[in-house]
Amino acid sequence: MNLRLIFPLLTVFSLLLPPAVGARSVIDDAGNKVEVPQQAQRIADGWYAHHSLLMTLGAGDRIVATVNHASDRPWMFKIQPSLAQALAVHGRTFNSEALLNAKVDAVFVPAEEAGADAYRQAGLPTLVMRFDDFPSMERSLLTTAEVVGTAQARQRARAYNAWLDRQIEFIRAKTAELHDGQRPGVLHIQSLHPLKVDGRSTLIDTWIRLAGGRNVAAEVNGNMKEISPENVLFWQPDIIIIGAGAGKLADSDYAALFASLRAVKRHQVWQNPAGVFPWDRYGTEAGLQILWAARLLHPELFPQLDMIKATQDFYRRFFDYALTADQAQRILHAQGPK
């Protein structure tokens, strides 16, 4: 079937249709004004991390098309088992005709998603979602709640944002006055093969600084930037945090080369927790990440912080899931469900 012929016809047909009952406008994170139905009952989510926002709002069961897979996100599919029935694609681009057949009400896409124009041409309400710090994440959650369109989703967005603000203030009260000499140099490695790190202007840089550290890769701008091992040797981090899916430094090609690093000599190389989504990246569990990172960087400032209990409380409150202590421990160690 020739999609080049179908899309213009779909666009013309959509223009001839009367406005949906209760349709309203929402401004997405890119500033686009998007007409959405009163409630988005059937959602296609093209941003891996954004699933956690919908789950936080109690709307995970509305995802009928997904870019995630149980093999990559086992906790996500365990906690939101309805995802197993969703239309799944490899990569992050859906077939517009398949979304129309699935009667999708709204499509969420990450910034710079090439398929967004095709969705719009097919008459699908398409919203660009992006954030790179906590205020913009809170705003994105509120926007997502407006698209979902329920009182519960709006209430959950407000509740999460209030909870996140409390965690930030709790951490900031103890780390804000630390001088540079008290802030360990932290390197966050997103990938070992190839070697990629997260620099400034990222959510990762935000939680490193908030937790009382210095991002040694701050001269690099952006997420997942490929670097040379010589950069790491020059930076000499005090602490290395490795993304959950990146493997172990000891098993990598850099094990011998990095043996002289201060962080390696002092056994300060840590695997990042991962639950519904990797905590260190762009999901709502980033609120747990700042607690975990602060406890890791400054245990003397947070002697009473129990990450198992904090994890259980978060999952019960925002994912409607009662984790056992063992399950919380597995998430903290980046291990999947048993």
Side-chain angles (χ1 to χ4, degrees):
M1 190 171 292
N2 192 330
L3 296 181
R4 292 183 178 178
L5 296 176
I6 288 174
F7 287 159
L9 291 174
L10 289 172
T11 303
V12 171
F13 179 69
S14 66
L15 292 173
L16 295 175
L17 289 174
V21 176
R24 56 209 169 81
S25 297
V26 174
I27 306 298
D28 70 10
D29 292 347
N32 302 308
K33 184 178 180 180
V34 184
E35 294 293 321
V36 298
Q38 193 66 24
Q39 290 189 16
Q41 299 284 355
R42 300 175 64 79
I43 294 170
D45 201 344
W47 187 13
Y48 305 102
H50 189 261
H51 286 51
S52 76
L53 276 70
L54 285 165
M55 290 172 65
T56 298
L57 299 175
D61 60 349
R62 298 188 178 206
I63 302 173
V64 298
T66 178
V67 292
N68 283 301
H69 300 270
S71 57
D72 301 318
R73 306 278 176 252
W75 283 109
M76 179 184 288
F77 279 71
K78 181 175 181 62
I79 291 169
Q80 190 64 62
S82 62
L83 286 171
Q85 278 70 57
L87 168 70
V89 295
H90 292 283
R92 63 183 197 184
T93 303
F94 301 108
N95 177 285
S96 296
E97 186 177 7
L99 297 187
L100 290 168
N101 289 337
K103 297 179 171 57
V104 164
D105 296 316
V107 186
F108 289 103
V109 298
E112 301 175 2
E113 168 52 41
D117 285 342
Y119 306 148
R120 294 186 185 105
Q121 288 175 19
L124 293 162
T126 303
L127 300 101
V128 177
M129 310 308 291
R130 66 182 179 199
F131 50 86
D132 52 24
D133 57 22
F134 290 117
S136 56
M137 184 173 77
E138 291 183 356
R139 187 171 62 250
S140 189
L141 188 65
L142 290 170
T143 300
T144 303
E146 281 303 311
V147 176
V148 174
T150 65
Q152 181 200 37
R154 295 183 181 100
Q155 188 279 327
R156 291 280 284 263
R158 292 192 297 269
Y160 174 84
N161 288 350
W163 174 86
L164 179 59
D165 289 342
R166 289 194 299 271
Q167 310 318 307
I168 291 172
E169 288 309 310
F170 168 64
I171 300 300
R172 183 177 285 143
K174 295 179 180 293
T175 63
E177 301 305 319
L178 295 173
H179 56 72
D180 282 351
Q182 295 173 300
R183 293 175 174 268
V186 179
L187 176 65
H188 186 269
I189 297 177
Q190 184 271 339
S191 167
L192 285 164
H193 303 287
L195 187 58
K196 294 182 179 181
V197 302
D198 294 289
R200 67 182 184 277
S201 302
T202 64
L203 191 64
I204 291 83
D205 183 71
T206 298
W207 60 251
I208 288 174
R209 289 185 288 106
L210 180 60
R214 293 178 294 105
N215 185 358
V216 298
E219 67 186 63
V220 178
N221 186 36
N223 290 296
M224 301 181 289
K225 297 299 182 180
E226 191 166 348
I227 60 163
S228 71
E230 286 73 25
N231 290 121
V232 179
L233 295 173
F234 176 75
W235 291 331
Q236 273 293 329
D238 299 300
I239 294 174
I240 296 174
I241 299 175
I242 299 178
K248 297 185 180 298
L249 183 60
D251 300 328
S252 74
D253 295 339
Y254 306 109
L257 183 62
F258 289 168
S260 62
L261 291 175
R262 188 181 303 118
V264 175
K265 287 181 176 180
R266 296 179 181 177
H267 306 289
Q268 292 297 309
V269 180
W270 302 90
Q271 207 84 30
N272 209 98
V276 163
F277 201 71
W279 287 12
D280 47 350
R281 307 214 72 81
Y282 288 74
T284 52
E285 289 156 291
L288 287 171
Q289 175 72 13
I290 57 175
L291 298 177
W292 176 82
R295 181 75 174 80
L296 177 69
L297 271 56
H298 295 283
E300 75 286 354
L301 296 180
F302 303 95
Q304 304 303 318
L305 180 52
D306 185 331
M307 283 308 303
I308 289 179
K309 289 184 178 179
T311 303
Q312 288 177 299
D313 176 70
F314 180 92
Y315 276 65
R316 182 174 55 252
R317 185 180 304 189
F318 295 115
F319 292 149
D320 301 307
Y321 193 89
L323 286 177
T324 66
D326 178 67
Q327 287 175 320
Q329 188 77 275
R330 293 185 69 81
I331 287 171
L332 286 161
H333 288 104
Q335 298 170 338
K338 285 185 178 178

